[in-house]
Structures are given as C-alpha cells and as structure tokens.
C-alpha cells in the first residue's frame, strides 16, 4: 500500500537549513529559518522561562491529563496579554493548541464546521504554511494583494480593492503584527479601515499573532487585534508563544474565538471537540510555563525585560543595516529595512540575486528574499550590506 505514496516537496526553509549546515565556509551567515538568535547565534531559553521551569519541577505533583481545551488559567492569561485586561469574558472561547500552527489549523477547521462553503482570504504573500495547510484540507482560499514590491510597503489600496469581493461568512486571515514574510504592517488607521470593511461585508477576521512583542512592544503589537476585537461581533485569533516566550519546541499556542454570549458555550464545546478529534490534549508544559510567567509579577517583569532586549536588539540591527545600505547605495531606497517590524524583511531581490549572495558570500536567505534580521550581528551587518549591493539588488 505505501508504495502508492508520492514524494512530498520538501519544506523550502528546512531544505535551506540543510544546505546551510553542509556549507563548509566559516564565514557563512544564516538569515533563513524564522527563529530568534542573539548576537552569538544562540536561541536562548529566556530567563523567566528557566526560572518557571525550575519552580515547576519543584512543585508539580502530577502529570495527569488536564482539561481538553487547556487550562482556564492559561486561557485567561493569554486573553489578557492579547486582548487587554478588559476583554469580554462572556464572549470568549479558547483552546490550547499545538503551537500557533495548531491554532491556525483548528481555526480553519472551526470555520469550515460553521460555514462549510466559506472562502478563506489570505495575504499575498503569506507564511507558506497557511497555504499548504489550506491546500491539504482542500479548503477554498483566495489571495488578496498585500505587498508592493517597488516600495516594499503594504499596497493598501490593492488590499482593500481585493477584499471588496469578500462574501458574508468568509474568513479573512490577517497577520496581527510583524508580517511574515514581508515585515510590512498595517497602521492602526488602516486596521480601522479593514474593520469597517469586514463589518460591512459580514466577514470573520482571523488574526494570526505569532510575534507579539517583537515589533513595537507587547501592547502596541496587539493594537490592531484589539481594535478588530472591539469592533467585530465574531473574531478568531490564533496566537503562538513560540517566539515571544522562546519555547518553540514546547509547541504552545492558543485559538481564541469571540462570538455573541449566547453562542459562547457551544463554541467552547466545539473547540474542545476539535482537540479531541485531532490529538486529544494539547501539550501542557509550555502553556503552564507561560501561565506562570504571565501571572507571577516577578517572572513577568523579568520576561518583559528580556523580550524588550530582544525587540530593541532587532530594531538596532535594522537601523544599522539601513544606514549601511544608505551609505553604500548612496540612496534611501533601502530605508524600508528600518521601517519594517519583526524578525523579517522582504528585500525585494530576485531569486538569482539571492542565489548570487549564497554562492559568492555564503549568505543564506529564503528564495523570495526574506531575511531574518535576528540572524545578523554588528559584524555581519556590513558584510550583508556589501553583498546586497554587489548582487545588484
Ligand atoms: N504564524 C506565522 C505567521 C508564523 O510565522 C509562525 C511560525 N513560523 C506560526 C504561525 C506558528 O508558529 P508555531 O507553530 O511554531 O507556534
């Protein structure tokens, strides 16, 4: 039977990681995989997480099953972090998931259960996994234009024009902050326009929030999400703790759903049902650590301080790279690097130019010219800037 299986196309970013590992050049620079790295190239366990793990090891008395949808304390701590302290408790359902990926998957499943004929609208470009999950599910989706390759900023008029075709009950997937792969984000004013449009259309926003705290700050990065949540009657939010808590392999995420209060209980029950059908309980270890960090004032302060170090470090690298490129190109055409937010920027280089940088300079970025800013340090910024100019990008 299994000889009927066909080889699957390898994940491009994971394939790039393999290529990087095999490159013997000591000067190689990895700007590919979407993982935060400090100046020494390490993805550290955050200090507050380490402390919480120690505390948990000392105090945990059982590892029996927890609630199918995850612990209510985790739901509450995450809802407060994402939506603010005054979130509408009577309208919120929540589900602990296997990372942010699991939250996206369960959100798509929920949408399909509620409205089997819906179309899911996705930004062009987006995180490739959105598209591959939707294709695997045989779920209808459409792309809306998002990025202007000339200015390397959001092509907002085109986005609004495309979303004009959204039907009632369709789902519109939006990146809450730090858009992956472009780094180009909506202003709060633009979020307001999107909210007006979706409200008028009767569409359901689904916000993928995978980098809260990596852009302009913890609250600032949730501002668009909070605006949408305050305006629309029904909203889905798929949040990941992988990046902002540095717990990638613990697989910690959450799907939050806002409905009217009368629909809340059946929604919550459906979410638990979805976990049951797919894998039963989501991993608990990461969710428990996140709850401890968010609810213990000392751990929370330590975590926020480290998250801020991470955020400011990436902003500093952005500014240094933009300044270097301004000098070398004698123009302001790369200033977008300093304006983008989060871990990624789409450079706008051609696949050939990206390949030239790999062959000539051992610089690895994704083929669409997405580069991970956190892969740089003060020594490699000038090397990258020279390589970008030399490639003709
Ligand atoms: N959404 C986006 C846009 C992402 O970039 C990622 C991580 N690459 C995720 C969701 C999910 O992350 P995870 O499953 O590792 O929590």
């Amino acid at each position: 039977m299994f000889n009927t299986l066909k080889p699957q196309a390898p994940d491009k970013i994971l394939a790039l990681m393999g290529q990087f590992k095999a490159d013997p050049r000591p000067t190689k620079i990895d700007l590919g995989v979407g993982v935060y790295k400090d100046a020494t190239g390490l993805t550290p366990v955050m200090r507050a997480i380490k402390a919480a793990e120690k505390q948990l090891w000392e105090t945990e008395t059982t590892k029996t099953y927890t609630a199918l949808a995850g612990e209510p304390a985790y739901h509450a701590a995450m809802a407060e972090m994402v939506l603010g302290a005054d979130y509408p408790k009577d309208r919120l359902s929540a589900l602990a998931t296997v990372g942010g990926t699991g939250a996206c998957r369960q959100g798509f499943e929920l949408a399909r259960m509620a409205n089997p004929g819906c179309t899911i609208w996705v930004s062009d470009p987006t995180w490739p996994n959105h598209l591959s999950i939707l294709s695997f599910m045989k779920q209808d989706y459409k792309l809306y234009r998002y990025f202007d390759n000339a200015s390397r900023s959001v092509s907002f008029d085109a986005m609004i024009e495309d979303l004009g075709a959204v039907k009632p009950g369709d789902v519109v997937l939006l990146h809450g902050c730090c858009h992956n792969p472009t780094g180009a984000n909506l202003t709060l004013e633009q979020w307001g326009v999107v909210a007006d449009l979706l409200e008028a259309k009767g569409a359901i926003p689904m916000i993928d929030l995978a980098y809260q705290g990596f852009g302009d700050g913890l609250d600032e990065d949730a501002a668009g999400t909070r605006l949408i949540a305050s305006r629309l009657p029904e909203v889905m939010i798929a949040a990941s703790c992988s990046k902002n808590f540095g717990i990638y392999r613990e697989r910690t995420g959450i799907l939050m759903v806002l409905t009217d209060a009368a629909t809340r209980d059946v929604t919550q029950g459906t979410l638990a049902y979805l976990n049951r059908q797919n894998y039963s309980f989501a991993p608990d270890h990461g969710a428990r650590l996140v709850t401890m960090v968010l609810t213990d004032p000392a751990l929370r302060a330590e975590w926020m301080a480290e998250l801020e170090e991470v955020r400011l470090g990436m902003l500093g690298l952005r500014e240094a790279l933009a300044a270097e490129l301004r000098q070398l190109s004698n123009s302001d055409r790369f200033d977008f690097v300093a304006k983008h937010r989060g871990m990624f920027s789409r450079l706008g280089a051609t696949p050939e130019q990206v390949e030239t940088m790999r062959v000539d300079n051992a610089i690895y970025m994704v083929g669409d010219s997405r580069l991970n800013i956190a892969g740089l340090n003060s020594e490699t910024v000038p090397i990258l800037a020279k390589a970008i100019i030399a490639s003709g990008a």
Side-chain angles (χ1 to χ4, degrees), residues 44-57 245-247 285 289 292-293 299 302-303 306:
V45 180
M46 292 179 87
R47 299 187 292 267
I49 289 290
K50 202 79 181 154
E53 267 183 329
K54 187 159 184 258
Q55 244 183 54
L56 186 60
W57 183 80
F245 290 88
I247 51 172
H285 185 71
L289 298 175
M292 290 170 75
V293 168
L299 290 177
E302 182 73 47
W303 168 68
E306 189 168 358

Side-chain angles (χ1 to χ4, degrees), residues 7 12 15 17 27 72 91 102 127 163 176 180 187 206 236 255 306 338 352-354 373:
K12 284 197 182 109
M17 272 169 80
T27 55
R91 295 177 47 222
W127 181 44
L163 292 181
N180 180 5
T187 63
M206 174 171 173
M236 291 194 285
L255 176 65
E306 189 168 358
E352 293 73 31
Q353 290 164 339
V354 169
I373 294 291

